[in-house]
Amino acid sequence: MTSVTRWKSLALLAGVVTVAVTAQTPATAVPTSTTAYDDTYYKDAIGKTGEPLKDALNQIISKDVSKLSYDEVWDALKKTDEDPDNSANVILLYTGRSQSKNSNGGNADDWNREHVWAKSHGDFGTSTGPGTDIHHLRPADVSVNSTRGNKDFDEGGSEVGEAPGNRTDDDSFEPRDQVKGDVARMILYMSVRYEGGEGYPDLEPNDKVDNGSQPSMGRLSVLKKWNDEDPPDAFEKKRNQVIYDDFQHNRNPFIDHPEWVADIWK
């Protein structure tokens, strides 16, 4: 075999290998993750997909949970959302602004408790349970929170003047890129955690907006996309750990295993 022939053979072989790797690992795939909790906390979920995975996670994250009152949420958020660069402040969800922990309240530039799964979607209000679950409660600027209201999540609309990077229209809200995945994982956590037991509504995502008072939040296809595009960062992971260690003693499984989103909602 000549050197040219050998080169062509090697090039062809390399091309086959490259194609095979590319086919097996699409650019949009969420990498499979492993955690220190797989052999303990998640042991009954590992290896499952679809409804069996969702059912297993519901049992895991609903067991031995500590529930907060709505007043206790204030102090919890001061710890879960603490600014890592300034322990006197919290980071606000939609604006990304670092603001004094003590400036919580109802005035326009205060921060308040944002229900990421809008509390009117299922009409659970601020009652103990879904209304006080800090996995989906975040500090937010009062007026920006009002702009979001109870809208479903989707892409598009006009930019929110007070919160550049966020967009809104009549029936949906699009958060800034840095927290799109956070929002998706909070919504999907709520769907797995609240399945109609304990007197709570059965919360489910759907691929619609303008869900009104139905126990549904959309748009699912967009939330799945955001989960892929904005993987969990250090702030989100630390928040999950603080909730587990210090408050509710359960975890958001989609922060630990973001690939489980696609495994459940195919």
Side-chain angles (χ1 to χ4, degrees):
M1 183 182 292
T2 68
S3 60
V4 172
T5 303
R6 283 198 301 272
W7 183 89
K8 287 181 177 178
S9 298
L10 289 170
L12 180 60
L13 179 59
V16 171
V17 172
T18 301
V19 170
V21 171
T22 302
Q24 291 173 359
T25 312
T28 57
V30 178
T32 300
S33 54
T34 58
T35 79
Y37 296 95
D38 288 357
D39 294 332
T40 53
Y41 190 74
Y42 292 123
K43 63 182 177 62
D44 292 335
I46 299 299
K48 296 178 179 177
T49 61
E51 282 298 317
L53 174 58
K54 188 181 181 189
D55 291 344
L57 291 176
N58 169 261
Q59 293 297 312
I60 291 166
I61 66 177
S62 302
K63 184 179 179 181
D64 299 327
V65 175
S66 295
K67 299 169 185 175
L68 282 64
S69 71
Y70 199 46
D71 283 341
E72 289 172 329
V73 166
W74 285 119
D75 288 334
L77 295 183
K78 292 176 183 179
K79 187 166 184 180
T80 60
D81 291 74
E82 181 179 287
D83 183 346
D85 297 320
N86 185 347
S87 62
N89 287 8
V90 291
I91 300 292
L92 307 191
L93 177 63
Y94 300 128
T95 61
R97 186 169 74 240
S98 178
Q99 185 159 321
S100 170
K101 291 178 177 179
N102 297 323
S103 65
N104 57 305
N107 296 321
D109 291 322
D110 288 343
W111 64 268
N112 63 1
R113 298 158 291 187
E114 156 71 326
H115 289 78
V116 176
W117 184 294
K119 59 184 181 290
S120 63
H121 289 231
D123 195 29
F124 53 76
T126 60
S127 59
T128 299
T132 64
D133 192 319
I134 52 176
H135 275 296
H136 86 116
L137 285 162
R138 298 289 292 267
D141 177 272
V142 168
S143 53
V144 175
N145 192 355
S146 178
T147 297
R148 187 263 159 146
N150 68 349
K151 296 173 183 175
D152 293 86
F153 292 101
D154 199 359
E155 296 181 337
S158 303
E159 190 167 60
V160 178
E162 194 176 352
N166 299 265
R167 308 183 73 83
T168 192
D169 56 23
D170 290 341
D171 55 20
S172 70
F173 190 88
E174 178 182 353
R176 59 192 176 100
D177 290 347
Q178 295 87 340
V179 296
K180 279 184 164 74
D182 306 49
V183 165
R185 289 180 283 275
M186 286 186 278
I187 292 295
L188 299 176
Y189 159 87
M190 291 291 284
S191 171
V192 171
R193 170 67 180 90
Y194 299 100
E195 293 274 34
E198 304 174 75
Y200 302 138
D202 182 4
L203 305 181
E204 290 295 337
N206 61 17
D207 214 35
K208 297 165 48 180
V209 294
D210 203 15
N211 277 294
S213 62
Q214 296 300 309
S216 300
M217 286 289 296
R219 181 179 305 266
L220 177 58
S221 58
V222 172
L223 297 173
K224 290 172 65 178
K225 177 186 173 202
W226 291 351
N227 175 63
D228 292 348
E229 293 176 344
D230 175 37
D233 60 15
F235 186 89
E236 191 180 1
K237 291 177 181 178
K238 181 179 179 182
R239 188 177 197 276
N240 196 30
Q241 192 66 43
V242 171
I243 293 172
Y244 179 70
D245 289 339
D246 299 340
F247 294 103
Q248 293 182 181
H249 312 299
N250 70 343
R251 305 182 68 82
N252 182 334
F254 304 116
I255 297 173
D256 295 322
H257 284 278
E259 74 277 7
W260 280 347
V261 170
D263 288 341
I264 294 174
W265 292 279
K266 300 181 185 295

